[in-house]
Amino acid sequence: MTHDRTAPPAEEHSSPEHPAPDPGPSTDPGTDPLDGIDDAFVIDFRAYDDLAEGQRWSTWPDVEPLSRGPEPRPDWVVTSRGAVDTELGILETGKEAEVFLLERGDPHQPEAAVVMAAKRYRSPEHQAFRRAATYAEGRSTRRSRDRRAVQRRSTFGRELAATQWALAEWEALTRCWSAGLPVPYPVQIDGTELLMEWITVEDDEGVRTAPRLAQTRPAPDLLAAWFEQLREALATLVGLGLVHGDLSAYNILAAGERLVIIDLPQVVDLVGNPRGTEFLMRDCANVCAWFRARGLPADEQELIGDLLAHAF
């Protein structure tokens, strides 16, 4: 007699106390392995390539909220944590700072990349601002230790001074932008680096940096329109109790029919600085001289009187 050594499979039974085991995900190639899984437990993972030379991860997530630009922010500001900053080259060099072009974009969203101006105040060995103490009158340094270090020009003091000038420009840009003044949008500040809107024009050569007012030769009607824009901007500025302090045709950009005021680290308090009115008069004299040289009868005394009427 022969016997079958293969026992038949035992019948599976289930009950509320002993449910049948879960057979697990289907091995059917036509079935989505995530089918039936709660979306809260699904993560969209995307890999990023290693950074190349001249690149860094975006510093936006690292700075404090108060070190980011005022709201509402323009749509072009990139806030992605996966964004990469890429150096595009130097735009301008000066005694106190250098301005670079920097592209910020998420590799997975290349259409949203934006080019900004990165203004970096020089290392502790950089040449100090001309008449820096005069511009700084009326400003306060919170800690007496910091104030003494700046006055002694120690290594720490020079580092602190560079940070203070960057912070002074950041605060001026933020305040002016919020008041509706024609200045570049301040994106963020990180130590001595200030990221801001890149002011451009577009022509047959493509997109390029907007020229300084001193580099332009406008038609008479545009010249008159520019002067009125500048008058309104200065009136708003003194209405805030501020004076540019170093205004001329060299720190005003001509973006088509629009003027944009730049270089604001030396902004002074019209009342708090003992020479505030003197700085205002000099600003008015500088810009009016440029407009007169191009045929527009601009009177600085009339402009000063108009501005002081807004201030007091």
Side-chain angles (χ1 to χ4, degrees):
M1 179 180 294
T2 61
H3 299 276
D4 185 356
R5 296 180 180 274
T6 303
E11 293 186 8
E12 294 184 354
H13 300 279
S14 64
S15 67
E17 295 79 8
H18 303 284
D22 185 353
S26 171
T27 57
D28 185 348
T31 303
D32 186 350
L34 300 181
D35 187 32
I37 296 180
D38 191 330
D39 290 341
F41 297 97
V42 178
I43 299 175
D44 182 15
F45 178 81
R46 294 176 295 172
Y48 286 82
D49 295 332
D50 293 334
L51 298 181
E53 184 177 355
Q55 291 185 323
R56 70 183 186 194
W57 293 111
S58 168
T59 54
W60 176 270
D62 301 325
V63 299
E64 299 178 355
L66 291 179
S67 296
R68 298 169 183 166
E71 297 181 350
R73 298 188 182 104
D75 294 338
W76 52 263
V77 176
V78 177
T79 61
S80 170
R81 286 184 171 273
V84 174
D85 293 344
T86 304
E87 297 275 353
L88 300 180
I90 193 165
L91 181 63
E92 176 186 334
T93 183
K95 293 180 179 179
E96 294 83 25
E98 292 178 322
V99 181
F100 296 79
L101 287 182
L102 182 144
E103 182 184 63
R104 172 170 290 175
D106 189 320
H108 293 284
Q109 298 175 313
E111 71 284 353
V114 63
V115 177
M116 300 177 291
K119 187 170 185 177
R120 296 167 185 162
Y121 284 83
R122 292 182 182 275
S123 63
E125 292 73 27
H126 80 276
Q127 181 177 349
F129 278 76
R130 293 175 296 111
R131 302 181 298 278
T134 305
Y135 284 116
E137 286 187 74
R139 297 179 186 172
S140 60
T141 301
R142 294 182 180 178
R143 299 190 301 178
S144 59
R145 172 178 175 269
D146 293 346
R147 183 170 58 253
R148 291 194 300 270
V150 172
Q151 291 171 348
R152 290 198 305 266
R153 292 187 56 76
S154 63
T155 299
F156 170 72
R158 292 196 299 271
E159 291 175 347
L160 184 61
T163 303
Q164 286 181 335
W165 283 108
L167 184 60
E169 181 160 24
W170 166 258
E171 292 176 345
L173 281 172
T174 300
R175 191 173 177 185
C176 289
W177 172 270
S178 298
L181 279 158
V183 297
Y185 177 75
V187 177
Q188 70 173 67
I189 183 172
D190 185 14
T192 58
E193 180 186 72
L194 178 60
L195 297 185
M196 68 188 85
E197 177 185 5
W198 179 36
I199 305 300
T200 63
V201 293
E202 188 171 1
D203 52 25
D204 295 339
E205 300 178 2
V207 177
R208 59 186 177 89
T209 303
R212 297 177 183 272
L213 188 63
Q215 300 171 307
T216 65
R217 295 293 182 269
D221 56 342
L222 182 57
L223 189 70
W226 277 352
F227 186 74
E228 287 307 311
Q229 284 185 45
L230 196 56
R231 182 198 297 271
E232 292 178 8
L234 291 176
T236 301
L237 192 62
V238 298
L240 297 174
L242 302 176
V243 179
H244 186 283
D246 194 28
L247 191 64
S248 72
Y250 290 94
N251 44 35
I252 301 173
L253 300 182
E257 298 183 356
R258 181 174 71 104
L259 295 183
V260 179
I261 299 173
I262 60 171
D263 293 338
L264 290 92
Q266 71 293 314
V267 163
V268 299
D269 188 298
L270 178 59
V271 177
N273 189 300
R275 297 179 60 185
T277 303
E278 179 184 337
F279 282 125
L280 177 62
M281 294 175 65
R282 190 179 66 186
D283 286 353
C284 292
N286 285 342
V287 296
C288 286
W290 186 87
F291 279 95
R292 278 199 308 272
R294 274 126 189 101
L296 187 72
D299 185 344
E300 59 261 32
Q301 297 300 325
E302 178 184 345
L303 178 59
I304 292 169
D306 185 30
L307 296 179
L308 290 178
H310 282 81
F312 301 106

